[in-house]
Amino acid sequence: MANVNLTIDGVKISVDRGLTVLQACEQVGAEIPRFCYHDRLSIAGNCRMCLVEMEKSPKPIASCAMPVAEGMVIHTNTAKVKKAREGVMEFLLINHPLDCPICDQGGECDLQDQAMAYGRSGNRFAENKRAVPEKDFGPLVKTEMTRCIHCTRCIRFATEVAGVPELGATGRGEEMEVGTYVERLLTSELSGNIIDLCPVGALTSKPYAFTARSWELRKTESIDVLDAVGSNIRIDARGRQVMRVLPRLNEDVNEEWISDKTRFAVDGLSRQRLDTPYVRRDGKLQPTTWGEALAAVAARLKAANGTRIAAIAGDLADVESMYALKGLMTALGSPHLDCRQDGAKLDARSRAGYLFNTTIAGIESADACLLIGSNPRWEAPIINARLRKRSLRGGFSVGLIGAPIERPDGLTYAHEYLGAGPTALQDVLEARHPFSKTLGAAQRPMLILGQAALARRDGAAVLALARAVAERYTMVKDGWNGFNVLHTAAARVGGLDLGFVPGAGGRDVLGMLDGAERGELDVIVLLGADEIDTRHLGRAFVVYIGHHGDAGAHRADIVLPGAAYPEKDATFVNTEGRVQRAFRAAFPPGQAREDWAILRALSESAGRTLPYDSLAELRRQLVKDVPAMAEIGRVVAAPWQPFGQTGALDAAPFGVAIRDFFLTDPISRASPTMAACSSANQQARRGAVTGTHG
């Protein structure tokens, strides 16, 4: 692409053709104020705050909407520009309520900042201010539409990025209002991002309303663990309480978006928490001391044969705690351990067989996609947004095999439905389906294999079949790997990297539950494992290490309180194999401790002391045993090796991995906000079916 030469504030610069004047100005360090313009949204050009002076132009130009041209001469800081910006700000403030002292946006408001930097000291308008009725967007987004300056960022985000065009504008001029046309809640899993996009206080967080000011909060950069994407986040805490979660920029993972569950489930961190050890006496869990609890567990472990002890890691477990638990189980002589609590038949022997090999950013380079037993909109909204982003560019065909995904929960991009189960996948492999031609003609085809296709009795055969499809359509070649497994659990890839799977003669999760029910296992350690059917644990002695009083704790004989993800320094590996670090933003409540420290203390009580006394020592040992854990923030390509197991396929349709997006883990299930969202969305879906609106 040919460059364009222009002059900005006396500096000659050469930029790519197609850039706007605003983008060119930023390249030379000129600060251009704006309200409507956003890098990831289409250009609206309606706030006029970005006015600059262009030589030979009779009036200032909107720099966000003007493409660069050869020989342009731009001035960004003249008296004419200053007067124009002051005039725009004066117009914006005519109807703005100026209620900063009671506005949640106070202290981090673009309008406040730009009014100070570019506005006048007074206002010449004395007319009465307009008032706009509030809108009900549901349990998450609080509206104060009298503050709205009609930048339309929220409308463009909902339509372009989220793919759920529920927001729009009605009326003209002073009568213009932003809303949902027919009053209803927002159904996008990304709706909370419009709070960040809103440059004023028109859209704020409803659960966070009137709870804290931004300058009161201690800010910690961390990683989200409520799905397997590993979105980069900032955790804001006051004292011991996490107040809110905001997105952090990472172009390779989540860009600058996060899902609603990531953002709003944090109120579940302070509810139903385990803050002291418990022991079951007379059929009821009773509080006890750490010494008594550890001694009781150690006595059971010492009395049991190693082959009758088992361990299951839950979906929110960090790498360090799984590594410590694996070390303890190995020292006890137990081969029964598993991190796949949903029973997914993933093959830990080949890393390429359980990673999202294309990478999240790599989706934008694909030209065809086959979804197998997956609904990315619920399982990974950020990845679904990437798929939509690629789809909007055109030349991207999507085929779906699995449960039909209908409105209002449908995918946010056009797709072709190919069938419900393994038979349709076999048809694609053998080129009996028209979509096979699309895959064959694609230069960079990809497939996404979901957990619903793997968490079946024939999951290993489905995995092998998906691998055969990838090879049949040359999805794996130099510089490109289009075979992808989409995980729903933040702990899953890290556990597989560690080899937290059954050893020689060991049982997987289903085998453990079956063995416990038959009385063949004496002790089972649950590391935050709450998604298993605890009714099948039989009379086994259950030790639960976790942070919420969820299913695992209810069944446990001993409860050892752990730390939730904002309360510990920990390592997680996302679905694409990217190793990332989470950092402590607050301390765990009461007597709760970090999981790895609990296991280290337990190992000492059981006479099988683990060889480290600190987190730093544990991590050194971890990197020595699993070198991939040293690659912080990077994705290392995995070699293509055999995986899966050819066998008989069940013709039954693929199910769904997630039935309720808002209630997938102990933190979300403890969250009043997520409960309200779940109820509201179920009501909205019923309304969509019957033709009414909630």
Side-chain angles (χ1 to χ4, degrees), residues 4 125 175 202 301 417 453 471 487 494 544 632 650 666:
V4 174
F125 293 91
E175 303 303 319
L301 293 176
Y417 186 66
E471 293 174 343
H487 293 277
Y544 180 80
I632 305 297
D650 186 345

Side-chain angles (χ1 to χ4, degrees), residues 338 340-346 454-457 459 492 508-510:
D338 203 349
R340 304 162 300 183
Q341 64 172 338
D342 58 0
K345 302 299 188 294
L346 291 159
L454 296 168
R456 307 165 28 121
R457 294 286 181 180
R492 188 65 51 83
D508 62 10
V509 165
L510 294 178

Side-chain angles (χ1 to χ4, degrees), residues 231-251:
S231 297
N232 286 217
I233 59 174
R234 192 188 83 195
I235 301 173
D236 290 357
R238 183 173 61 189
R240 285 179 173 265
Q241 185 176 1
V242 173
M243 303 300 294
R244 64 177 180 178
V245 166
L246 299 175
R248 187 160 53 93
L249 180 66
N250 188 321
E251 296 288 356

Side-chain angles (χ1 to χ4, degrees), residues 94-109:
I94 291 175
N95 281 310
H96 197 75
L98 306 179
D99 55 353
C100 303
I102 61 164
C103 178
D104 271 324
Q105 198 83 346
E108 45 193 8
C109 173

Side-chain angles (χ1 to χ4, degrees), residues 358-418:
T358 299
T359 72
I360 297 171
I363 291 171
E364 298 185 30
S365 300
D367 51 5
C369 178
L370 177 62
L371 298 174
I372 307 168
S374 176
N375 178 356
R377 181 172 169 186
W378 280 15
E379 295 166 22
I382 297 299
I383 289 179
N384 191 65
R386 286 273 190 173
L387 290 166
R388 173 172 171 78
K389 182 180 180 182
R390 174 63 189 90
S391 179
L392 289 176
R393 284 187 9 229
F396 185 66
S397 301
V398 179
L400 170 65
I401 297 176
I405 306 174
E406 306 294 344
R407 294 288 181 185
D409 303 318
L411 298 177
T412 55
Y413 36 86
H415 66 280
E416 181 181 352
Y417 186 66
L418 310 184

Side-chain angles (χ1 to χ4, degrees), residues 101-156:
I102 61 164
C103 178
D104 271 324
Q105 198 83 346
E108 45 193 8
C109 173
D110 291 348
L111 186 64
Q112 272 187 337
D113 296 340
Q114 293 187 38
M116 289 292 293
Y118 304 103
R120 291 167 50 90
S121 58
N123 193 307
R124 291 170 288 181
F125 293 91
E127 288 78 11
N128 291 330
K129 293 179 181 289
R130 72 170 190 163
V132 181
E134 300 315 315
K135 319 294 182 184
D136 185 4
F137 286 175
L140 302 180
V141 180
K142 180 177 182 292
T143 66
E144 195 77 43
M145 302 313 290
T146 302
R147 300 171 185 156
C148 180
I149 62 171
H150 305 154
C151 71
T152 69
R153 281 185 180 183
C154 56
I155 298 173
R156 285 174 284 147

Side-chain angles (χ1 to χ4, degrees), residues 311-374:
I312 302 173
D315 292 348
L316 306 185
D318 57 272
V319 168
E320 289 86 353
S321 62
M322 287 188 287
Y323 181 70
L325 181 55
K326 182 185 178 186
L328 177 58
M329 290 296 107
T330 301
L332 292 168
S334 170
H336 312 304
L337 60 163
D338 203 349
C339 63
R340 304 162 300 183
Q341 64 172 338
D342 58 0
K345 302 299 188 294
L346 291 159
D347 194 336
R349 296 171 298 176
S350 172
R351 198 165 191 253
Y354 59 81
L355 290 186
F356 201 96
N357 294 285
T358 299
T359 72
I360 297 171
I363 291 171
E364 298 185 30
S365 300
D367 51 5
C369 178
L370 177 62
L371 298 174
I372 307 168
S374 176

